[in-house]
Amino acid sequence: MAGNIKLMVCDNADSVAKEAAKVFSALISDRPEAVIGLATGSTPENTYAELARMHKEEGLSFAKVTSFNLDEYWGLDGDHDQSYRYFMRTNLFDKVDIRPWNTFVLNGKAQFPAIECEAYEQKIVSMGGVDLWLLGIGGNGHIAFNEPGSPVDSRTRLVSLTQETIDANSDGRFFKDASEVPRCALSTGIGTIREARGLVLLATGAKKADAIAAAVNGPFTPDVPASLLQDHPDCTFIVDKDAASKL
Ligand code: F6R
């Protein structure tokens, strides 16, 4: 069952980035004080580059925007070059006029993870919730670091990464070696993500084809965390032809 998921299939990864950037720029132009959710990883890099271009060349302003990120590696300081805080600074925050104090990323070095996670949830609520959250998808169907088996009502918490995710993130794109990849992360939950008013999930490349097919057409099941978005009222998957090849 495809549920409510809207599907946009683009010719290539470049068009995926342009379409995703258009959705976010439309929201921010319409509602300058928008609360947006952000993802890290390879997939959204070009979307952030396009948003940075729109800021520079078209005057798109993030001055009143608030952002929340999906997750952060447990044990990494925000200055570590593999931390997601660092990723966001170098890919987006330093290239647009978003105010650093309006950018929220979980603290991977928090002394008490449960308190950090609860405060993060409360911060999202105090900002009125997230208008639109950008997501990627793991080859195993994970969203944020909600690995297969994560409950539909899970909240922000300390989680363990699967070996598949550790391997995927140490293939030379990010960490050089699997031994360097943290084994745990702080991650928003599936329940947290589902509360966003809008969701845009991006996927590019044949490596994501099985996960996209299972999420869109398979059963609603924690075995494929992205399938738990099927009953969301406003969820769009923007994928390239390769990621759509098993639909
Ligand atoms: C990152 C995140 C992850 C990634 C997913 C895909 O913040 O939450 O779920 O979106 O692992 O990563 P890439 O885009 O590197 O294939």
Side-chain angles (χ1 to χ4, degrees), residues 4-222:
N4 290 322
I5 293 175
K6 295 181 276 274
L7 195 65
M8 183 187 283
V9 181
C10 301
D11 279 345
N12 51 45
D14 202 38
S15 314
V16 168
K18 291 215 164 73
E19 291 298 334
K22 261 195 244 168
V23 177
F24 276 84
S25 71
L27 168 71
I28 294 165
S29 303
D30 190 47
R31 192 168 136 68
E33 69 290 358
V35 179
I36 60 174
L38 300 172
T40 54
S42 300
T43 315
E45 281 175 351
N46 291 340
T47 303
Y48 296 145
E50 176 64 4
L51 287 171
R53 187 198 65 74
M54 288 172 154
H55 168 67
K56 199 168 163 213
E57 295 175 13
E58 297 169 13
L60 177 68
S61 176
F62 292 74
K64 294 181 181 166
V65 168
T66 298
S67 72
F68 288 92
N69 263 81
L70 285 171
D71 40 24
E72 179 60 283
Y73 285 116
W74 180 238
L76 297 195
D77 191 79
D79 288 328
H80 189 288
D81 67 2
Q82 291 303 331
S83 73
Y84 286 164
R85 162 65 77 183
Y86 185 92
F87 174 101
M88 290 311 307
R89 276 214 312 271
T90 51
N91 281 279
L92 186 68
F93 298 160
D94 287 353
K95 297 183 176 172
V96 298
D97 59 345
I98 197 164
R99 308 296 189 233
W101 53 89
N102 290 335
T103 65
F104 295 92
V105 183
L106 285 151
N107 176 6
K109 292 279 255 189
Q111 197 180 357
F112 301 110
I115 292 175
E116 171 70 10
C117 293
E118 175 58 23
Y120 201 71
E121 292 270 352
Q122 282 175 15
K123 189 72 201 172
I124 293 174
V125 171
S126 78
M127 295 309 299
V130 173
D131 291 308
L132 186 62
W133 210 318
L134 183 69
L135 305 170
I137 184 169
N140 62 1
H142 74 211
I143 48 173
F145 277 133
N146 294 286
E147 300 286 26
S150 303
V152 65
D153 58 355
S154 48
R155 309 306 308 187
T156 305
R157 66 209 185 287
L158 182 63
V159 296
S160 300
L161 307 186
T162 60
Q163 191 59 44
E164 188 177 348
T165 297
I166 291 166
D167 292 342
N169 289 349
S170 60
D171 62 0
R173 291 176 306 151
F174 299 114
F175 295 91
K176 283 186 216 75
D177 191 271
S179 66
E180 293 174 18
V181 185
R183 269 36 191 172
C184 296
L186 297 181
S187 177
T188 51
I190 296 176
T192 322
I193 294 168
R194 281 166 51 93
E195 280 169 12
R197 286 179 281 281
L199 299 170
V200 172
L201 183 147
L202 309 184
T204 58
K207 276 191 194 162
K208 302 292 172 69
D210 285 323
I212 289 296
V216 173
N217 290 329
F220 181 91
T221 170

